[in-house]
PDB file of all heavy atoms in Angstrom:
ATOM      1  N   THR X 783      -8.888 -25.348   4.371  1.00  0.00           N
ATOM      2  CA  THR X 783      -9.329 -24.142   5.042  1.00  0.00           C
ATOM      3  C   THR X 783      -8.513 -22.979   4.622  1.00  0.00           C
ATOM      4  O   THR X 783      -7.277 -23.090   4.550  1.00  0.00           O
ATOM      5  CB  THR X 783      -9.311 -24.358   6.591  1.00  0.00           C
ATOM      6  OG1 THR X 783      -9.989 -25.532   6.934  1.00  0.00           O
ATOM      7  CG2 THR X 783      -9.821 -23.124   7.355  1.00  0.00           C
ATOM      8  N   THR X 784      -9.154 -21.879   4.418  1.00  0.00           N
ATOM      9  CA  THR X 784      -8.427 -20.590   4.048  1.00  0.00           C
ATOM     10  C   THR X 784      -8.773 -19.488   4.984  1.00  0.00           C
ATOM     11  O   THR X 784      -9.898 -19.528   5.520  1.00  0.00           O
ATOM     12  CB  THR X 784      -8.719 -20.244   2.533  1.00  0.00           C
ATOM     13  OG1 THR X 784     -10.132 -20.092   2.367  1.00  0.00           O
ATOM     14  CG2 THR X 784      -8.274 -21.231   1.548  1.00  0.00           C
ATOM     15  N   LEU X 785      -7.848 -18.582   5.091  1.00  0.00           N
ATOM     16  CA  LEU X 785      -8.185 -17.349   5.840  1.00  0.00           C
ATOM     17  C   LEU X 785      -8.186 -16.170   4.845  1.00  0.00           C
ATOM     18  O   LEU X 785      -7.200 -15.974   4.166  1.00  0.00           O
ATOM     19  CB  LEU X 785      -7.070 -17.169   6.953  1.00  0.00           C
ATOM     20  CG  LEU X 785      -7.231 -15.946   7.854  1.00  0.00           C
ATOM     21  CD1 LEU X 785      -8.521 -16.099   8.635  1.00  0.00           C
ATOM     22  CD2 LEU X 785      -6.087 -15.850   8.840  1.00  0.00           C
ATOM     23  N   LEU X 786      -9.225 -15.453   4.907  1.00  0.00           N
ATOM     24  CA  LEU X 786      -9.511 -14.298   4.050  1.00  0.00           C
ATOM     25  C   LEU X 786      -9.339 -13.084   4.863  1.00  0.00           C
ATOM     26  O   LEU X 786     -10.041 -13.022   5.877  1.00  0.00           O
ATOM     27  CB  LEU X 786     -10.877 -14.351   3.413  1.00  0.00           C
ATOM     28  CG  LEU X 786     -11.279 -13.159   2.493  1.00  0.00           C
ATOM     29  CD1 LEU X 786     -10.501 -13.135   1.180  1.00  0.00           C
ATOM     30  CD2 LEU X 786     -12.791 -13.230   2.293  1.00  0.00           C
ATOM     31  N   LEU X 787      -8.388 -12.163   4.541  1.00  0.00           N
ATOM     32  CA  LEU X 787      -8.198 -10.930   5.260  1.00  0.00           C
ATOM     33  C   LEU X 787      -8.736  -9.728   4.325  1.00  0.00           C
ATOM     34  O   LEU X 787      -8.318  -9.687   3.183  1.00  0.00           O
ATOM     35  CB  LEU X 787      -6.724 -10.669   5.618  1.00  0.00           C
ATOM     36  CG  LEU X 787      -6.135 -11.649   6.505  1.00  0.00           C
ATOM     37  CD1 LEU X 787      -4.612 -11.258   6.737  1.00  0.00           C
ATOM     38  CD2 LEU X 787      -6.816 -11.916   7.783  1.00  0.00           C
ATOM     39  N   ILE X 788      -9.566  -8.913   4.968  1.00  0.00           N
ATOM     40  CA  ILE X 788     -10.136  -7.883   4.194  1.00  0.00           C
ATOM     41  C   ILE X 788      -9.851  -6.547   4.920  1.00  0.00           C
ATOM     42  O   ILE X 788     -10.214  -6.336   6.104  1.00  0.00           O
ATOM     43  CB  ILE X 788     -11.646  -7.983   4.030  1.00  0.00           C
ATOM     44  CG1 ILE X 788     -11.960  -9.398   3.426  1.00  0.00           C
ATOM     45  CG2 ILE X 788     -12.260  -6.889   3.204  1.00  0.00           C
ATOM     46  CD1 ILE X 788     -13.401  -9.700   3.331  1.00  0.00           C
ATOM     47  N   ALA X 789      -9.174  -5.592   4.222  1.00  0.00           N
ATOM     48  CA  ALA X 789      -8.811  -4.294   4.740  1.00  0.00           C
ATOM     49  C   ALA X 789     -10.052  -3.351   4.804  1.00  0.00           C
ATOM     50  O   ALA X 789     -11.113  -3.709   4.125  1.00  0.00           O
ATOM     51  CB  ALA X 789      -7.690  -3.692   3.966  1.00  0.00           C
ATOM     52  N   GLY X 790      -9.922  -2.340   5.531  1.00  0.00           N
ATOM     53  CA  GLY X 790     -11.056  -1.324   5.589  1.00  0.00           C
ATOM     54  C   GLY X 790     -11.527  -0.796   4.247  1.00  0.00           C
ATOM     55  O   GLY X 790     -12.771  -0.461   4.120  1.00  0.00           O
ATOM     56  N   ASP X 791     -10.635  -0.694   3.250  1.00  0.00           N
ATOM     57  CA  ASP X 791     -11.057  -0.190   1.919  1.00  0.00           C
ATOM     58  C   ASP X 791     -11.550  -1.287   1.105  1.00  0.00           C
ATOM     59  O   ASP X 791     -11.909  -1.019  -0.109  1.00  0.00           O
ATOM     60  CB  ASP X 791      -9.892   0.531   1.288  1.00  0.00           C
ATOM     61  CG  ASP X 791      -8.707  -0.386   0.902  1.00  0.00           C
ATOM     62  OD1 ASP X 791      -8.695  -1.625   1.319  1.00  0.00           O
ATOM     63  OD2 ASP X 791      -7.778   0.048   0.277  1.00  0.00           O
ATOM     64  N   GLY X 792     -11.638  -2.552   1.471  1.00  0.00           N
ATOM     65  CA  GLY X 792     -12.085  -3.654   0.717  1.00  0.00           C
ATOM     66  C   GLY X 792     -10.994  -4.444   0.110  1.00  0.00           C
ATOM     67  O   GLY X 792     -11.332  -5.518  -0.440  1.00  0.00           O
ATOM     68  N   GLU X 793      -9.724  -4.019   0.082  1.00  0.00           N
ATOM     69  CA  GLU X 793      -8.710  -4.838  -0.437  1.00  0.00           C
ATOM     70  C   GLU X 793      -8.553  -6.045   0.282  1.00  0.00           C
ATOM     71  O   GLU X 793      -8.746  -6.106   1.531  1.00  0.00           O
ATOM     72  CB  GLU X 793      -7.398  -4.067  -0.340  1.00  0.00           C
ATOM     73  CG  GLU X 793      -6.167  -4.833  -1.004  1.00  0.00           C
ATOM     74  CD  GLU X 793      -4.879  -4.143  -0.867  1.00  0.00           C
ATOM     75  OE1 GLU X 793      -4.818  -3.029  -0.333  1.00  0.00           O
ATOM     76  OE2 GLU X 793      -3.873  -4.643  -1.391  1.00  0.00           O
ATOM     77  N   TRP X 794      -8.306  -7.240  -0.391  1.00  0.00           N
ATOM     78  CA  TRP X 794      -8.376  -8.491   0.302  1.00  0.00           C
ATOM     79  C   TRP X 794      -7.227  -9.406  -0.222  1.00  0.00           C
ATOM     80  O   TRP X 794      -6.669  -9.227  -1.266  1.00  0.00           O
ATOM     81  CB  TRP X 794      -9.670  -9.107   0.227  1.00  0.00           C
ATOM     82  CG  TRP X 794     -10.168  -9.422  -1.229  1.00  0.00           C
ATOM     83  CD1 TRP X 794     -10.796  -8.513  -2.008  1.00  0.00           C
ATOM     84  CD2 TRP X 794      -9.941 -10.705  -1.938  1.00  0.00           C
ATOM     85  NE1 TRP X 794     -11.025  -9.094  -3.307  1.00  0.00           N
ATOM     86  CE2 TRP X 794     -10.546 -10.450  -3.283  1.00  0.00           C
ATOM     87  CE3 TRP X 794      -9.354 -11.884  -1.641  1.00  0.00           C
ATOM     88  CZ2 TRP X 794     -10.443 -11.473  -4.211  1.00  0.00           C
ATOM     89  CZ3 TRP X 794      -9.317 -12.865  -2.729  1.00  0.00           C
ATOM     90  CH2 TRP X 794      -9.927 -12.553  -3.956  1.00  0.00           C
TER      91      TRP X 794
END
Side-chain angles (χ1 to χ4, degrees):
T783 302
T784 55
L785 182 62
L786 176 71
L787 297 184
I788 304 174
D791 66 351
E793 182 181 3
W794 59 273

